Short mmCIF file of all heavy atoms in Angstrom, two decimals:
data_model
loop_
_atom_site.label_atom_id
_atom_site.label_comp_id
_atom_site.label_asym_id
_atom_site.label_seq_id
_atom_site.Cartn_x
_atom_site.Cartn_y
_atom_site.Cartn_z
N ARG A 118 93.70 118.74 132.26
CA ARG A 118 92.56 118.98 131.40
C ARG A 118 93.05 119.72 130.17
O ARG A 118 92.62 119.38 129.01
CB ARG A 118 91.51 119.88 132.12
CG ARG A 118 90.37 120.40 131.27
CD ARG A 118 89.47 121.30 132.05
NE ARG A 118 88.47 122.05 131.23
CZ ARG A 118 87.33 121.50 130.84
NH1 ARG A 118 87.00 120.26 131.11
NH2 ARG A 118 86.47 122.24 130.10
N TYR A 119 93.84 120.78 130.32
CA TYR A 119 94.35 121.54 129.18
C TYR A 119 95.29 120.73 128.35
O TYR A 119 95.35 120.92 127.11
CB TYR A 119 94.95 122.82 129.70
CG TYR A 119 94.02 123.58 130.61
CD1 TYR A 119 94.42 123.99 131.87
CD2 TYR A 119 92.76 123.87 130.24
CE1 TYR A 119 93.59 124.75 132.71
CE2 TYR A 119 91.86 124.52 131.06
CZ TYR A 119 92.29 124.94 132.36
OH TYR A 119 91.42 125.61 133.13
N LEU A 120 96.11 119.88 128.95
CA LEU A 120 97.02 119.04 128.15
C LEU A 120 96.27 118.06 127.33
O LEU A 120 96.52 117.89 126.12
CB LEU A 120 97.94 118.26 129.18
CG LEU A 120 99.02 117.35 128.52
CD1 LEU A 120 99.89 118.17 127.59
CD2 LEU A 120 99.79 116.67 129.61
N LEU A 121 95.23 117.41 127.94
CA LEU A 121 94.39 116.47 127.14
C LEU A 121 93.67 117.18 126.03
O LEU A 121 93.61 116.65 124.88
CB LEU A 121 93.43 115.74 128.10
CG LEU A 121 92.48 114.78 127.43
CD1 LEU A 121 93.23 113.65 126.74
CD2 LEU A 121 91.50 114.22 128.55
N ALA A 122 93.13 118.36 126.36
CA ALA A 122 92.46 119.16 125.36
C ALA A 122 93.39 119.45 124.19
O ALA A 122 92.97 119.42 122.99
CB ALA A 122 91.92 120.40 125.93
N GLY A 123 94.64 119.81 124.49
CA GLY A 123 95.55 120.20 123.45
C GLY A 123 95.95 119.00 122.58
O GLY A 123 96.05 119.07 121.37
N VAL A 124 96.17 117.87 123.25
CA VAL A 124 96.52 116.64 122.54
C VAL A 124 95.38 116.22 121.53
O VAL A 124 95.63 115.90 120.35
CB VAL A 124 96.83 115.49 123.47
CG1 VAL A 124 96.91 114.14 122.74
CG2 VAL A 124 98.09 115.74 124.27
N LEU A 125 94.15 116.30 122.03
CA LEU A 125 93.02 115.92 121.23
C LEU A 125 92.90 116.82 119.99
O LEU A 125 92.74 116.37 118.89
CB LEU A 125 91.70 115.97 122.06
CG LEU A 125 90.41 115.77 121.25
CD1 LEU A 125 90.40 114.35 120.60
CD2 LEU A 125 89.18 115.93 122.14
N PHE A 126 93.02 118.14 120.23
CA PHE A 126 92.90 119.09 119.18
C PHE A 126 94.04 118.94 118.13
O PHE A 126 93.79 119.03 116.96
CB PHE A 126 92.86 120.52 119.73
CG PHE A 126 92.39 121.55 118.75
CD1 PHE A 126 91.14 121.74 118.42
CD2 PHE A 126 93.32 122.38 118.14
CE1 PHE A 126 90.69 122.69 117.53
CE2 PHE A 126 92.97 123.32 117.22
CZ PHE A 126 91.64 123.47 116.90
N SER A 127 95.20 118.75 118.59
CA SER A 127 96.38 118.61 117.75
C SER A 127 96.29 117.33 116.90
O SER A 127 96.55 117.38 115.69
CB SER A 127 97.72 118.60 118.56
OG SER A 127 97.88 119.80 119.24
N LEU A 128 95.88 116.25 117.52
CA LEU A 128 95.71 114.97 116.77
C LEU A 128 94.61 115.14 115.72
O LEU A 128 94.79 114.70 114.57
CB LEU A 128 95.32 113.85 117.68
CG LEU A 128 96.53 113.29 118.55
CD1 LEU A 128 96.00 112.25 119.51
CD2 LEU A 128 97.59 112.74 117.64
N ALA A 129 93.45 115.73 116.10
CA ALA A 129 92.41 115.85 115.16
C ALA A 129 92.79 116.75 113.96
O ALA A 129 92.45 116.49 112.81
CB ALA A 129 91.17 116.41 115.88
N THR A 130 93.46 117.87 114.26
CA THR A 130 93.94 118.77 113.22
C THR A 130 94.97 118.08 112.33
O THR A 130 94.89 118.17 111.07
CB THR A 130 94.56 120.05 113.85
OG1 THR A 130 93.62 120.67 114.73
CG2 THR A 130 94.96 121.01 112.73
N GLY A 131 95.92 117.41 112.95
CA GLY A 131 96.97 116.71 112.18
C GLY A 131 96.40 115.64 111.28
O GLY A 131 96.74 115.56 110.07
N ILE A 132 95.48 114.83 111.82
CA ILE A 132 94.86 113.76 111.00
C ILE A 132 94.10 114.37 109.87
O ILE A 132 94.08 113.94 108.70
CB ILE A 132 94.04 112.82 111.88
CG1 ILE A 132 94.91 112.05 112.81
CG2 ILE A 132 93.13 111.90 110.98
CD1 ILE A 132 94.16 111.25 113.87
N GLY A 133 93.35 115.47 110.21
CA GLY A 133 92.58 116.15 109.15
C GLY A 133 93.40 116.73 108.09
O GLY A 133 93.03 116.66 106.87
N LEU A 134 94.54 117.26 108.44
CA LEU A 134 95.43 117.86 107.39
C LEU A 134 95.96 116.72 106.42
O LEU A 134 96.17 116.93 105.21
CB LEU A 134 96.65 118.57 108.07
CG LEU A 134 96.24 119.86 108.70
CD1 LEU A 134 97.45 120.42 109.45
CD2 LEU A 134 95.70 120.90 107.73
N LEU A 135 96.13 115.54 107.02
CA LEU A 135 96.60 114.39 106.15
C LEU A 135 95.55 113.93 105.23
O LEU A 135 95.77 113.36 104.16
CB LEU A 135 97.02 113.26 107.08
CG LEU A 135 98.36 113.48 107.89
CD1 LEU A 135 98.64 112.32 108.79
CD2 LEU A 135 99.56 113.79 106.94
N LEU A 136 94.26 114.21 105.61
CA LEU A 136 93.10 113.80 104.80
C LEU A 136 92.66 114.93 103.92
O LEU A 136 91.62 115.51 104.08
CB LEU A 136 91.97 113.33 105.72
CG LEU A 136 92.27 112.14 106.67
CD1 LEU A 136 91.09 111.88 107.59
CD2 LEU A 136 92.58 110.95 105.84
N CYS A 137 93.54 115.28 102.97
CA CYS A 137 93.22 116.24 101.89
C CYS A 137 93.11 117.67 102.53
O CYS A 137 92.41 118.58 101.91
CB CYS A 137 91.99 115.94 101.22
SG CYS A 137 92.04 114.32 100.30
N VAL A 138 93.75 117.99 103.64
CA VAL A 138 93.94 119.32 104.20
C VAL A 138 92.60 119.92 104.77
O VAL A 138 92.57 120.38 105.87
CB VAL A 138 94.47 120.27 103.15
CG1 VAL A 138 94.64 121.72 103.74
CG2 VAL A 138 95.90 119.77 102.71
#
Side-chain angles (χ1 to χ4, degrees):
R118 171 181 171 85
Y119 306 129
L120 181 60
L121 178 60
V124 169
L125 174 62
F126 192 78
S127 297
L128 284 176
T130 304
I132 294 172
L134 290 174
L135 293 176
L136 299 175
C137 300
V138 179

